[in-house]
Amino acid sequence: MANNRHSDDPMGRMEISIRNTQDGIQRLFLHSAKHEQAIESLQKDVSSLQKDVSSLQKDVSSLQQDVSSLQQDVSSLQQDVSSLREDVETLRQETRERFDKIEDTLAIIVNHLQK
């Protein structure tokens, strides 16, 4: 009955309206405060992620430099292997020629001894 009396009374209706408005403002304030906290938390997360991304980009750059350096080393080693193959082939040819000369010399000696 007390509510009914306020609804008939203009002052009572204003009091109820003011209380409802105050409750609504308080809820909006709390809601806004929660959103501000969430935004601050998200901003911290974004900042942390940006630092992580920056660190990862530096790591990637460093790894790319390492890969480039390794590729240069591989290229240099390939050239060295190619050069060594040529040296081995040259030594093989020289060895064949020396054995041929030794064989010819031994044949001459054997022929001389047989006479």
Side-chain angles (χ1 to χ4, degrees), residues 5 35 42 52 55 73 76-77 79 92 115:
R5 188 172 38 126
H35 276 281
L42 288 172
D52 290 346
S55 176
D73 291 346
S76 176
L77 287 171
Q79 290 174 353
R92 282 182 180 162
K115 288 185 184 179

Side-chain angles (χ1 to χ4, degrees), residues 60-92:
V60 166
S61 177
S62 176
L63 287 172
Q64 286 174 330
Q65 289 175 352
D66 291 348
V67 166
S68 177
S69 176
L70 287 171
Q71 286 174 331
Q72 290 174 352
D73 291 346
V74 165
S75 177
S76 176
L77 287 171
Q78 286 173 331
Q79 290 174 353
D80 291 346
V81 166
S82 177
S83 176
L84 287 172
R85 282 183 178 156
E86 290 173 10
D87 291 347
V88 165
E89 188 54 40
T90 300
L91 286 173
R92 282 182 180 162

Side-chain angles (χ1 to χ4, degrees), residues 90-113:
T90 300
L91 286 173
R92 282 182 180 162
Q93 185 62 32
E94 288 175 1
T95 302
R96 280 188 211 113
E97 290 172 3
R98 286 181 184 160
F99 278 122
D100 286 346
K101 287 180 184 178
I102 291 172
E103 187 178 18
D104 290 345
T105 304
L106 286 174
I108 291 171
I109 292 174
V110 168
N111 283 337
H112 249 92
L113 290 175

Side-chain angles (χ1 to χ4, degrees), residues 1-99:
M1 285 242 171
N3 281 343
N4 198 11
R5 188 172 38 126
H6 284 295
S7 56
D8 292 338
D9 179 21
M11 284 300 281
R13 284 192 304 233
M14 277 188 7
E15 286 176 8
I16 291 173
S17 178
I18 289 171
R19 266 189 256 129
N20 288 341
T21 302
Q22 287 173 337
D23 288 345
I25 289 171
Q26 189 176 26
R27 275 190 241 117
L28 282 173
F29 176 77
L30 291 174
H31 188 71
S32 175
K34 288 179 184 178
H35 276 281
E36 285 181 29
Q37 289 174 344
I39 288 170
E40 287 175 7
S41 176
L42 288 172
Q43 286 173 335
K44 287 179 184 177
D45 291 346
V46 167
S47 177
S48 176
L49 287 172
Q50 286 173 334
K51 289 178 184 176
D52 290 346
V53 167
S54 177
S55 176
L56 287 172
Q57 286 173 332
K58 288 177 184 175
D59 291 346
V60 166
S61 177
S62 176
L63 287 172
Q64 286 174 330
Q65 289 175 352
D66 291 348
V67 166
S68 177
S69 176
L70 287 171
Q71 286 174 331
Q72 290 174 352
D73 291 346
V74 165
S75 177
S76 176
L77 287 171
Q78 286 173 331
Q79 290 174 353
D80 291 346
V81 166
S82 177
S83 176
L84 287 172
R85 282 183 178 156
E86 290 173 10
D87 291 347
V88 165
E89 188 54 40
T90 300
L91 286 173
R92 282 182 180 162
Q93 185 62 32
E94 288 175 1
T95 302
R96 280 188 211 113
E97 290 172 3
R98 286 181 184 160
F99 278 122

